[in-house]
Amino acid sequence: MSDRRPLAIMPYGVFSLNVHEQAAAHRRVIKAQLELTYRCNLHCRHCYTDPYNDSAYFPRELSLAEIHRLLADMRELGIVWLNLTGGDIFMRPDFFDIYETAADHGFLLQLYTNGTLFTRAIIERLQARPPFSIDISCHSVDESRFDWFTQVPGSYRAFLRGIALLQAGGLPFSLKTKLMNWNAGEMEQLQRFTESQGQPFGFSTSLSPRLNGDCSSLEHRVAPDTIRRLASKLDVVQEDPGCEAHASLSPPSHERLFRCGCGTDTVHINAWGELSTCTFQYETRISLHEHSLRDAIDRAFAATGALSYHTDSACRTCTLHTFCDKQPTQARWEAGHPEAPIPYDCDIAVARASGSLGSPVIHPLQPGTSR
């Protein structure tokens, strides 16, 4: 008779809460995002990685052997959730060597993809070792507008084929919609399409400069008043999670530059093997070619926690900071300094705060006015 005892079964929500509570108590990293490549078959107009979607940069990407070592190190550190992203992950010829090794290590795998590269062979391979989730970007339900945005003719039809293959294959997936000034008018159609696929509808609106500092992608931002109007009109929750829960108006309790959860339980590793505390944190990057994973995490977290305000930036004492999505690296690229306010984010924070509190609030960059 076997003396093996069956594993206890618990709801996913309970499991997740337990892991996060233990991570907080013991200051452990439990989540990682790994950019496998900057290669992509599309050139979406808002994409922050697209400047490096060029063959000249591909040799800089982590090799298969380096990724295998990194996955083993992640397992040893106790990382639970692993997000594989790009570029597009399926542009790496060795994707399944990476994916199946990660599955063997027991990670809960989340895949980010544009959905246009699925084939029956890929679906069958994923069915053998299903991921925890697959997130797919849904830009438009109009073929000409979708293809205009991706700058690749036929991409909309490829997207629809991918969704159909996922549905037929019974794989877990969700559709992500980023509302921009060119597709915000499609919101009702996007909601109907998403729900027709058995998915709840939500949207995000945040856009970031490209990784080379080019801010042209920000031209597609939605106006703050439009965001509030659309959310109210369709009674949906906007999926732009602030780093902290919205609270009453009060100044920051500390001088740290990063007021979010950066440097707690999550790491981001870009396609070139540089580690930091989140996707858009480029104030501090530690090379995994020069440091072990454990050492890189310690260095990145310490450096991030040590960054603080030294100027008289309006952000330093802003009472709307819990409603604000400002990222210091984005501020450096867009406004010239990581401590500087980003006017667009200030407008968004004002709109959120006034909507949440039900009354006008003082604009941090226009002290004499309220909205």
Side-chain angles (χ1 to χ4, degrees), residues 223-234:
D225 289 344
T226 301
I227 294 173
R228 185 164 59 175
R229 176 175 55 81
L230 290 173
S232 174
K233 179 180 179 182
L234 290 184

Side-chain angles (χ1 to χ4, degrees), residues 8 21 24 29 37 81 128 144-145 148 178 180 190 203 205 224 244-245 290-291 308 341 345 352:
E21 288 179 344
V29 174
T37 182
W81 289 272
S144 62
R145 290 164 64 81
W148 166 83
K178 188 172 288 291
M180 292 165 271
L190 286 161
F203 64 88
T205 57
E244 299 179 31
E290 301 172 7
H291 301 274
S308 60
D345 286 343
R352 286 176 177 168

Side-chain angles (χ1 to χ4, degrees), residues 22-42:
Q22 291 178 27
H26 300 287
R27 299 184 63 81
R28 287 178 45 220
V29 174
I30 54 173
K31 294 181 286 186
Q33 183 178 62
L34 174 59
E35 290 174 342
L36 297 181
T37 182
Y38 290 140
R39 286 169 268 187
C40 189
N41 60 318
L42 307 180

Side-chain angles (χ1 to χ4, degrees), residues 137-163:
S137 301
C138 180
H139 306 301
S140 175
V141 293
D142 179 271
E143 181 174 358
S144 62
R145 290 164 64 81
F146 192 106
D147 289 359
W148 166 83
F149 182 66
T150 63
Q151 304 189 80
V152 176
S155 58
Y156 179 65
R157 295 186 181 187
F159 162 76
L160 292 181
R161 285 196 301 271
I163 297 299

Side-chain angles (χ1 to χ4, degrees), residues 226-295:
T226 301
I227 294 173
R228 185 164 59 175
R229 176 175 55 81
L230 290 173
S232 174
K233 179 180 179 182
L234 290 184
D235 192 28
V236 298
V237 176
Q238 183 185 347
E239 293 180 345
D240 273 347
C243 287
E244 299 179 31
H246 293 172
S248 58
L249 303 187
S250 60
S253 60
H254 56 76
E255 292 279 284
R256 291 194 301 273
L257 186 61
F258 286 85
R259 292 169 173 160
C260 56
C262 274
T264 54
D265 64 5
T266 303
V267 294
H268 171 267
I269 301 166
N270 70 14
W272 298 341
E274 299 168 341
L275 179 144
S276 191
T277 52
C278 78
T279 308
F280 297 107
Q281 209 283 60
Y282 273 77
E283 301 312 289
T284 301
R285 285 268 154 183
I286 308 298
S287 172
L288 292 172
H289 298 293
E290 301 172 7
H291 301 274
S292 69
L293 179 62
R294 176 73 271 173
D295 184 40

